[in-house]
Amino acid sequence: MNKIAIVEDDVTCSNLLVNYLCRYNKENGQNVQADVFRSAVDFLSDYDCSYFAVFMDIDMPMMNGMDAARKLRLADQSVSIIFTTNLANYAISGYEVNALDFMVKPITYFNFVSKLEKAVTAHKTSTDLPIQINLKDKMVVVKSSELYYVESDAHMVIYHTAKGDFAVRKKLCEAEEALKDCNMAYCGKSYLVNLYNVDSVDGKTVTVHGKPLPISRSKEKDFMRALTLYLGGNSVGGGNV
């Protein structure tokens, strides 16, 4: 799941960042989503560790961004914090909360993209595991973030990845065992989904990196529980596959 939080009381600024994100997604074929919060209090009141990056305004009423970041670090040590501010010297204090970076307003599109991609890289570095796919005539290695889902087809399993689709003769349960540390969950008896790449869930369908997959009645409860745990920052499960 690729999700960021924008904590900004200035509607014009938050709308600008959302528009920048939409442009970034369109230009790069990505599907990073954003939740917008008008205050740090609202952001922290029900924080669930589902974000890989937080764009945090420093100068906000009720609770400023620096105080909010200190409280955030008590709940989440890994999320990337990127401060937005009118004055650069305000962001120096960000080192005490291990902030990734800061942006001085007015924020340009290219500055936003630079910081966003820095956060994406930091997130992948901290979560990626190597997955080795042993084919008949060669071996392919992908990062866990590059694995979208695994599909069972007759006596084969198909690994759908950023590098292409790879078919291996084995059982889906064998692939599941090898991927036990990669936050995988069944949405149906023939589909093992990488929860990191879930875009959305709509009724009986889960969209994984743009591909809609059916959620079976028998797997629905366990799948939604696994997804909820994952979004809450808990591990659900590379390995040689």
Side-chain angles (χ1 to χ4, degrees):
M1 175 75 71
N2 295 323
K3 212 159 105 170
I4 66 171
I6 298 172
V7 187
E8 172 63 71
D9 65 314
D10 185 325
V11 176
T12 300
C13 186
S14 64
N15 287 344
L16 180 68
L17 296 184
V18 170
N19 288 335
Y20 283 168
L21 181 62
C22 291
R23 178 180 168 184
Y24 170 82
N25 284 335
K26 184 176 181 180
E27 291 181 351
N28 295 276
Q30 299 298 316
N31 189 31
V32 181
Q33 302 171 29
D35 289 337
V36 179
F37 301 87
R38 298 297 178 210
S39 75
V41 174
D42 289 342
F43 171 62
L44 292 171
S45 64
D46 194 27
Y47 185 74
D48 63 2
C49 295
S50 63
Y51 307 104
F52 73 87
V54 177
F55 289 80
M56 179 89 71
D57 186 23
I58 290 182
D59 186 16
M60 290 185 291
M62 294 187 288
M63 181 187 297
N64 66 47
M66 198 60 63
D67 289 340
R70 294 187 185 99
K71 292 182 179 294
L72 174 60
R73 279 293 178 236
L74 297 176
D76 192 337
Q77 290 290 324
S78 63
V79 66
S80 292
I81 300 173
I82 301 166
F83 286 117
T84 61
T85 178
N86 288 305
L87 297 173
N89 60 330
Y90 284 178
I92 296 175
S93 300
Y95 289 109
E96 69 178 83
V97 292
N98 194 28
L100 180 70
D101 216 323
F102 68 93
M103 299 186 295
V104 178
K105 299 177 183 179
I107 300 167
T108 67
Y109 172 69
F110 297 102
N111 192 17
F112 170 78
V113 169
S114 173
K115 309 309 181 188
L116 177 63
E117 291 188 336
K118 187 175 180 180
V120 169
T121 298
H123 180 62
K124 286 186 176 181
T125 300
S126 66
T127 59
D128 266 354
L129 294 171
I131 297 172
Q132 180 176 313
I133 303 174
N134 297 313
L135 304 175
K136 186 175 182 179
D137 56 349
K138 64 178 180 178
M139 180 264 289
V140 177
V141 177
V142 299
K143 298 176 182 178
S144 57
S145 64
E146 296 176 321
L147 174 64
Y148 304 144
Y149 64 96
V150 185
E151 177 184 4
S152 174
D153 184 11
H155 299 292
M156 308 291 288
V157 294
I158 303 169
Y159 296 86
H160 297 271
T161 81
K163 293 184 177 181
D165 299 339
F166 304 100
V168 179
R169 188 174 183 84
K170 63 165 51 179
K171 297 178 180 179
L172 190 55
C173 61
E174 295 174 323
E176 177 192 16
E177 174 62 23
L179 297 169
K180 62 183 179 181
D181 296 323
C182 297
N183 293 307
M184 309 292 290
Y186 286 99
C187 68
K189 67 177 183 179
S190 299
Y191 296 103
L192 187 60
V193 170
N194 185 349
L195 299 177
Y196 173 80
N197 283 308
V198 169
D199 297 328
S200 63
V201 176
D202 183 9
K204 300 294 184 180
T205 301
V206 54
T207 301
V208 184
H209 199 76
K211 173 71 174 181
L213 300 174
I215 302 175
S216 69
R217 179 178 298 180
S218 62
K219 299 294 185 182
E220 181 179 13
K221 184 177 180 180
D222 288 340
F223 178 75
M224 293 307 299
R225 179 178 179 274
L227 182 59
T228 300
L229 286 171
Y230 175 75
L231 294 178
N234 298 294
S235 176
V236 178
N240 294 336
V241 298

